[in-house]
Amino acid sequence: DEAQVVAMFAEAVKAFGTVDILVSNAGMERNAPFHEMTTAQWDAVMNVNLRGAFLCAREAVREFLRRGVRPEVSVAAGKIIFISSVHELIPWAGHVNYAASKGGLMLLMKSLAQEVAEKRIRVNSIAPGAIRTPINTAAWATPEAYSDLMKLVPYKRIGEVEEIGRAAVWLASDFTDYLVGTTLYVDGGMTLYPGFEGAPLEKALRAASRPTAFGAHAGRALRRARPDGRGLREQSGDGQIAAQLLFRGPGDRDGPPGRSRDLRPDGDRR
């Protein structure tokens, strides 16, 4: 609620004289399959996760601009830290409203940081991964659930709320005065996409490198590639053709079976 946020900042300034740091931490989930998601579920998440962050940041910026830099307190006029999520980066099926709100929060942070940096206001985000909190109890409360969760965390342990607090203290300090418009991922490596590590990916790559019928056609086409540079190819380390890109003029009618027909009105198949 806009009036409540304005009143909250007025009370803070009245009690403490000013506001130096904002940690925008409110967040919620209302999960549903996308085709079953109601507007109430969508709006509830957006209102808290994105609109609320906007309102709080706006009031903080107003106070920072009113007061200016106080060198005895900090070299910055103020600091804003949004608590985002790894899902500002990682898609999350079944949680479309939540992921969309965090993606929006990422660009709210970056755009605001760009706008107010010249006023000596620093804006950054913290993106937690799997943290032991009540919102995700089902993901870590049993040994089976915890084991499944660790498949997503290369560091192989869950995070604790104190670790997010320490990151926020660091971002709010002058030790990070040159850190502007950045998301700090506190996630045990979750954003490293651990599903891509190890043997399954290597097996898939080996399978993808095997010659195919198309590869034979491609090889013949490459041998016919023009010497003027209009035929290009890339090769993998073992010599197998990994990718090809051929450019033919309108007069070049040869090529492997099943090639595309002319699509451009001028007859140039590029």
Side-chain angles (χ1 to χ4, degrees):
D1 181 85
E2 182 175 11
Q4 289 179 334
V5 173
V6 172
M8 176 181 68
F9 272 82
E11 285 296 314
V13 172
K14 181 179 178 181
F16 302 108
T18 188
V19 173
D20 295 287
I21 301 163
L22 167 67
V23 179
S24 181
N25 188 47
M28 68 180 301
E29 295 180 17
R30 290 291 184 270
N31 307 323
F34 184 73
H35 65 286
E36 297 177 2
M37 187 173 290
T38 66
T39 54
Q41 290 171 317
W42 177 271
D43 290 343
V45 171
M46 289 296 171
N47 283 340
V48 172
N49 295 7
L50 194 53
R51 187 173 188 268
F54 153 70
L55 291 172
C56 289
R58 187 188 66 182
E59 294 308 305
V61 168
R62 287 173 173 175
E63 174 60 18
F64 299 159
L65 293 175
R66 181 197 68 78
R67 189 224 324 117
V69 176
R70 294 184 298 165
E72 71 278 12
V73 174
S74 174
V75 297
K79 298 88 176 261
I80 295 174
I81 302 169
F82 293 110
I83 304 301
S84 184
S85 165
V86 293
H87 295 293
E88 71 170 39
L89 180 65
I90 302 174
W92 202 10
H95 306 73
V96 169
N97 48 359
Y98 183 83
S101 72
K102 295 303 183 178
L105 185 61
M106 176 183 65
L107 280 179
L108 168 62
M109 179 273 289
K110 289 182 178 293
S111 299
L112 179 58
Q114 185 185 68
E115 181 172 330
V116 300
E118 66 177 2
K119 305 297 185 182
R120 303 291 292 178
I121 298 172
R122 293 200 297 112
V123 186
N124 294 286
S125 286
I126 296 172
I131 308 297
R132 196 190 311 270
T133 65
I135 198 173
N136 61 1
T137 301
W140 53 262
T142 68
E144 296 77 15
Y146 190 86
S147 177
D148 285 342
L149 179 62
M150 290 304 100
K151 296 175 183 176
L152 303 176
V153 183
Y155 205 55
K156 301 307 178 189
R157 73 166 176 85
I158 196 169
E160 306 294 344
V161 293
E162 292 81 6
E163 295 175 287
I164 305 303
R166 290 195 290 267
V169 170
W170 183 64
L171 278 179
S173 74
D174 283 353
F175 287 109
T176 55
D177 184 59
Y178 208 52
L179 207 63
V180 177
T182 295
T183 295
L184 179 63
Y185 293 97
V186 185
D187 66 350
M190 185 177 282
T191 48
L192 300 177
Y193 298 97
F196 282 89
E197 66 180 325
L201 179 59
E202 295 170 5
K203 182 178 179 181
L205 289 174
R206 285 196 299 269
S209 69
R210 295 185 186 122
T212 63
F214 173 77
H217 288 309
R220 287 195 294 271
L222 286 171
R223 284 193 293 273
R224 288 196 299 270
R226 297 174 182 271
D228 59 6
R230 294 171 67 185
L232 304 174
R233 68 175 174 178
E234 297 177 1
Q235 291 186 324
S236 62
D238 61 0
Q240 293 292 341
I241 296 170
Q244 67 159 334
L245 179 60
L246 297 177
F247 299 92
R248 298 189 183 89
D252 187 357
R253 297 298 179 185
D254 58 355
R259 61 177 173 79
S260 302
R261 311 302 298 177
D262 291 349
L263 297 179
R264 294 167 56 89
D266 59 2
D268 189 1
R269 298 190 303 281
R270 286 186 289 179

